[in-house]
Amino acid sequence: MYYSDIKYNQADISIMLAGKGYKETFLRRLFGHPDISTVAVHLLTLQDLFEKNEKFRNAIEVLPSLQGLDEIVRIEG
């Protein structure tokens, strides 16, 4: 469904945030599509968000409005 939404919306960039992570089957199926490499896909977890690690910093480079998301999650969550 995720891949289908990416293609339907003709996305150039896609960022998904998961609580714990992603199942290996999800990753294998998503990245098994031959044209997925045309989309900048960033699969983040809450750990990435709070640690502000490399995965999170890479996502911020393509979508700067993610900066400060960790504060929003803490306030509203």
Side-chain angles (χ1 to χ4, degrees):
M1 289 174 54
Y2 181 52
Y3 172 79
S4 177
D5 284 344
I6 289 171
K7 297 313 288 184
Y8 179 79
N9 291 296
Q10 300 175 347
D12 296 321
I13 301 166
S14 180
I15 299 172
M16 180 182 270
L17 178 63
K20 286 185 167 185
Y22 303 90
K23 290 184 176 182
E24 185 58 38
T25 53
F26 171 78
L27 299 172
R28 189 171 44 249
R29 289 178 184 159
L30 176 62
F31 293 109
H33 292 281
D35 61 341
I36 195 68
S37 63
T38 63
V39 181
V41 176
H42 298 271
L43 301 176
L44 303 175
T45 65
L46 287 174
Q47 182 176 354
D48 300 325
L49 178 76
F50 292 122
E51 289 179 357
K52 297 181 181 177
N53 61 22
E54 184 178 356
K55 285 174 62 177
F56 182 71
R57 289 191 304 272
N58 289 339
I60 286 176
E61 285 183 27
V62 296
L63 192 62
S65 60
L66 285 175
Q67 188 70 38
L69 182 61
D70 57 327
E71 293 302 319
I72 293 169
V73 171
R74 287 181 186 156
I75 293 168
E76 295 180 5

